[in-house]
Amino acid sequence: MTNVDVGGGDRLALAVLVQYRMATTEQMHWVIARGVRIEQTRRRPARLREAGLVDRIILPRAGRTRVWFPTRYGVRLACEWPEMRGRRPSRTVSDPTAVRLKVGHALTVTETALAFLKDTRRHGDLCRPLDWIPEIHHPTGSGEAVIPDALLYYRRGPADGDNGAMLRAFVEVDRATMGPERLAAKLTAYARLHRYVPTVSGRRPTIQEPALEDRRRHYPLFPQLLFVLDRTGPTGAKTRIRALRAAASEPVAFSFLHDVPVLAAPLTDLLRDGPSAPVWRPVQDPAQQVAWHRWP
């Protein structure tokens, strides 16, 4: 790996690409190196590519946008690092054809991550690049699972003498490629995850000693659920929020909505005002507009 600094910026660049799946040069610049000139950022993935750790596709649009993604070698190397231990990279993340098929949604997810990262820098909150973790597999039984587009770890800046609250959120990025009913079905799936307790092989769980499963070990409190709506326009966003509200009235979602904040906002609002602005609408009361990290 000639000229690759695996102990510094190159290491972070590779870790981000493995975790985020893919990113444009400009997105990489904002995530890992906003304090330097973009020319320096352009040289970094090129250097990693020479070492066989990343590759790229070029989108056939104005400017011939370069989209970078890790190779199998890059994934294998990065997943050995302590900061990446336990990550479950996509099986197709290193295949150029699969990258082309997934590029629209994946880059929108990365753009959503950037909105949160930029917001923390403006407001003194804390959200590091690797605090955005895409596609964590959460089983719900019977061979089914919930796989959020991302899990967000976010610490609010100190206020009123405290040390800042640690927040977690599941983020679903909707690009209007499915009907409103299918989007709303995701809320029901999260409700099933919320109440799911798997049985332990060989014995039955009891009230005194319930089966402990990964979700409850990792999340003492169930993360908030944030729906980010893209490519809809104002009318389409209202339609999709109405569908989420209808799903919230179903019996399976009643206790879930009582315990877990579920909010939705257009991506255009997040990019314009920042995710910490009161641009989020609670699905139970879409007439309100609230800040996700201060609700309820």
Side-chain angles (χ1 to χ4, degrees):
M1 294 187 294
T2 305
N3 297 326
V4 173
D5 176 18
V6 295
D10 290 344
R11 175 172 175 142
L12 177 59
L14 179 58
V16 166
L17 281 176
V18 170
Q19 188 153 297
Y20 287 38
R21 310 323 193 211
M22 64 188 80
T24 66
T25 305
E26 289 72 20
Q27 288 174 334
M28 289 287 292
H29 180 68
W30 277 103
V31 173
I32 67 171
R34 67 190 188 282
V36 304
R37 297 177 63 183
I38 194 169
E39 288 77 9
Q40 292 178 250
T41 305
R42 292 194 180 104
R43 289 195 290 270
R44 193 177 301 280
R47 190 160 59 243
L48 293 171
R49 186 175 184 233
E50 289 178 1
L53 296 168
V54 308
D55 204 348
R56 72 184 185 194
I57 61 171
I58 299 178
L59 300 182
R61 61 177 70 161
R64 293 178 59 80
T65 301
R66 289 172 169 80
V67 178
W68 300 93
F69 59 94
T71 63
R72 287 184 175 86
Y73 174 42
V75 170
R76 188 169 65 252
L77 176 66
C79 287
E80 294 175 354
W81 298 338
E83 64 268 35
M84 297 294 290
R85 198 160 292 147
R87 298 291 185 262
R88 186 176 180 175
S90 171
R91 296 175 182 174
T92 59
V93 70
S94 302
D95 179 75
T97 300
V99 168
R100 289 186 182 278
L101 293 174
K102 296 182 176 183
V103 68
H105 183 264
L107 291 184
T108 304
V109 174
T110 300
E111 193 68 22
T112 305
L114 275 176
F116 282 95
L117 291 171
K118 291 178 182 179
D119 213 37
T120 59
R121 295 162 186 169
R122 285 194 296 264
H123 297 286
D125 298 334
L126 181 63
C127 180
R128 300 183 181 90
L130 298 182
D131 288 336
W132 178 270
I133 310 174
E135 298 180 4
I136 298 180
H137 186 273
H138 298 81
T140 57
S142 303
E144 297 184 352
V146 170
I147 306 175
D149 285 324
L151 168 66
L152 169 68
Y153 287 89
Y154 188 104
R155 183 179 291 279
R156 283 174 49 188
D160 299 326
D162 62 20
N163 293 320
M166 171 58 78
L167 305 175
R168 298 175 181 86
F170 290 132
V171 182
E172 287 288 344
V173 177
D174 170 55
R175 300 180 70 239
T177 55
M178 62 180 69
E181 294 77 11
R182 285 185 61 194
L183 173 66
K186 291 189 175 185
L187 191 150
T188 305
Y190 279 97
R192 290 196 300 269
L193 174 62
H194 179 253
R195 68 181 187 180
Y196 172 63
V197 178
T199 58
V200 176
S201 178
R203 65 183 174 90
R204 298 173 62 185
T206 66
I207 295 176
Q208 291 77 20
E209 189 182 12
L212 189 64
E213 40 91 10
D214 285 344
R215 193 267 294 169
R216 291 185 179 176
R217 285 203 304 269
H218 286 98
Y219 317 128
L221 293 177
F222 196 92
Q224 296 186 44
L225 178 54
L226 306 178
F227 287 93
V228 177
L229 309 176
D230 187 31
R231 303 176 69 184
T232 59
T235 301
K238 290 179 181 178
T239 299
R240 301 179 89 73
I241 292 172
R242 280 198 299 267
L244 289 169
R245 184 183 183 186
S249 65
E250 297 180 5
V252 69
F254 180 79
S255 63
F256 176 62
L257 269 294
H258 182 268
D259 296 336
V260 180
V262 180
L263 310 170
L267 178 59
T268 53
D269 290 356
L270 269 62
L271 297 178
R272 184 188 66 234
D273 301 324
S276 64
V279 297
W280 300 88
R281 296 187 182 273
V283 299
Q284 289 177 297
D285 186 7
Q288 291 195 66
Q289 286 188 269
V290 302
W292 81 272
H293 62 333
R294 300 183 184 276
W295 176 263

